[in-house]
Amino acid sequence: MRLTGSKSITFRLTLLFAAVSTTVLLFLGVLVGALLEQHFEELDMELLTGKLELIQHALEKVRSPQDFEPLRQHLDDALVGHPGLLVSVVSNGRNVYATGEDTFPSSLLLTDRTKRVLPVVWEESQGRHYRGISAEVRTGMTNSASAMVGVATETSHHAHFMSSFRMTLWSVVGFAALVSGLLGWLAARRGLAPLREIRQEAAEITANRLDHRLSVASIPVELAEVAVTLNAMLARLEESFRRLSDFSSDLAHELRTPVSNLLTQTQVILTRHRTPDEYREVLASNVEEFERLSRMLSDMLFLAKSDNQLIVPNREKIDLREEVGSVFEFYEALAEEKNIRLTLIGDGLISADRLMLRRAINNLLSNAIRHSSSDGSITVYIDNSDESVTILRVENTGETIPPEHLPRLFDRFYRVEASRRRFSDGAGLGLAITQSIMRAHGGGAFAYSEGHLTQFDLRFPVAGYD
């Protein structure tokens, strides 16, 4: 299936490469252009200032109006080799010297100026560009007469150069954008190749191949965490699928037996006419099977609610010693029948749902009595020495549970071995329900077994106590 409506990472990286390179080149081009224009202006100003000082020095030698005539010849000789240079000298409103046919703007030669005018740039009618300055210069005449001197140089060649520079700049920027985009696309494609490999490996993972894992060693460090996370997710999925498969098989097995018993008994009773007592006996037996089915369905409904966080404990203050003592009274006769000693040590207060707590304790005690050896003992410890948790520990003597089975004791319908398969009407859901009750209270249930001693801990967080 091809996804639409979203841009690929390769496309975005290509745009990013092109945008970054274009921006950098434009910035450099604008910067270089500004520096060039500044440099041209500095060269022009150096030329204009030097010519203005030359003219000022010449005007200082003018002692009378008649000296202006040789001044013209002197200036012509001094300005040889500067065809783009304009000079204008105005004295008493009369233009005593001028070069070229182009004229200065009127604002540059105002006679009331007493200081040098800032550079002025203008364009003549024929398209020539000029940059000029002017200043009021005193002459050597006794009446302290002054003259307005304007000096300008043509900048058309500068303008042509900058125009060519900008054209070249835009061409280079456009070409660089295309090249950087192409290189960016190639780099992105190559850099994202491990992602495509991950996609191909992930496509090979199916419900029948959940044991397959993504290769972490052959991908870059930046993607290693992603692969590790995906592998962890696959491990959880594999475990969940395995549990679901086992649960389905166990559920079918557990339901098949009572349903088969009901069907067989009903078919047998219907083969011929029976007495009322015989019908009553079969119906009583069927009631037991229905009760067993009802308990199983009720337990499964409870576990389904627990899986969806729909179990909300109705918390109240509970004395654990008093509660365990009440459960002891219920199992006292069964324990005496198997000659099992019941012992309660310690006390403590917790905040919990009383009905749920009693159900969890019942499950542990019935399980302990079921699997305790004759003449054995069951000891319940209440440990509140830890400020953060209160522990209810049920310990019984009997056959040791192999270590490989301990992690799965709280799975639904899980039984360790055939010898533990059925000693009562239990369906293998008691420990799973106990774990669900503890999780609803924010705690947990844990199992330990060694040296013919099996121990189950219920841990209640003290934070839940009001």
Side-chain angles (χ1 to χ4, degrees), residues 183-374:
L183 294 177
W185 180 81
L186 293 174
R189 288 282 297 177
R190 184 175 180 84
L192 295 176
L195 277 180
R196 292 191 293 276
E197 295 178 1
I198 291 177
R199 180 186 63 80
Q200 293 173 356
E201 290 186 12
E204 298 175 357
I205 300 175
T206 62
N208 298 324
R209 292 194 59 196
L210 287 176
D211 58 334
H212 183 71
R213 296 294 181 267
L214 302 177
S215 176
V216 179
S218 60
I219 63 176
V221 177
E222 293 80 2
L223 297 177
E225 293 184 1
V226 176
V228 170
T229 303
L230 289 176
N231 285 337
M233 179 192 69
L234 290 173
R236 293 193 298 270
L237 286 176
E238 182 183 10
E239 179 65 15
S240 299
F241 267 80
R242 183 186 61 77
R243 290 175 181 269
L244 181 60
S245 177
D246 293 346
F247 173 74
S248 300
S249 301
D250 292 337
L251 179 61
H253 176 77
E254 295 294 336
L255 291 177
R256 182 181 61 183
T257 301
V259 170
S260 178
N261 292 340
L262 288 170
L263 182 60
T264 301
Q265 290 179 2
T266 304
Q267 288 174 340
V268 170
I269 201 67
L270 291 177
T271 57
R272 61 185 177 86
H273 181 74
R274 306 286 181 176
T275 64
D277 290 339
E278 289 176 330
Y279 282 120
R280 190 177 295 109
E281 182 180 352
V282 171
L283 289 176
S285 176
N286 287 350
V287 166
E288 293 180 1
E289 294 295 340
F290 280 124
E291 288 178 348
R292 180 181 172 190
L293 282 173
S294 178
R295 287 194 302 270
M296 186 185 304
L297 294 175
S298 177
D299 291 343
M300 290 172 58
L301 179 60
F302 182 88
L303 292 172
K305 290 182 178 180
S306 175
D307 290 341
N308 292 278
Q309 290 79 43
L310 298 178
I311 299 178
V312 181
N314 183 21
R315 293 180 180 271
E316 58 179 302
K317 184 189 297 184
I318 297 177
D319 187 332
L320 275 178
R321 186 176 184 85
E322 179 181 340
E323 198 66 28
V324 174
S326 299
V327 179
F328 268 12
E329 293 178 2
F330 180 80
Y331 285 101
E332 186 174 356
L334 182 60
E336 289 180 356
E337 182 181 341
K338 295 186 65 174
N339 197 24
I340 296 175
R341 298 186 307 276
L342 298 179
T343 307
L344 175 59
I345 300 175
D347 55 43
L349 295 176
I350 62 171
S351 176
D353 187 298
R354 186 177 298 274
L355 293 178
M356 290 186 187
L357 174 63
R358 179 162 294 190
R359 188 173 187 180
I361 298 174
N362 267 292
N363 289 339
L364 292 186
L365 282 178
S366 65
N367 186 73
I369 292 175
R370 188 181 308 130
H371 298 296
S372 290
S373 56
S374 298

Side-chain angles (χ1 to χ4, degrees), residues 169-186:
L169 173 65
W170 283 111
S171 300
V172 171
V173 168
F175 178 74
L178 293 176
V179 173
S180 60
L182 177 60
L183 294 177
W185 180 81
L186 293 174

Side-chain angles (χ1 to χ4, degrees), residues 92-128:
N92 295 326
R94 184 170 63 92
N95 194 344
V96 298
Y97 181 78
T99 60
E101 299 178 355
D102 295 326
T103 59
F104 283 81
S106 58
S107 60
L108 197 62
L109 297 176
L110 294 178
T111 55
D112 58 348
R113 295 285 181 149
T114 58
K115 61 181 180 179
R116 183 168 299 180
V117 180
L118 294 176
V120 176
V121 178
W122 74 92
E123 182 181 358
E124 282 293 332
S125 58
Q126 297 181 358
R128 289 192 290 267

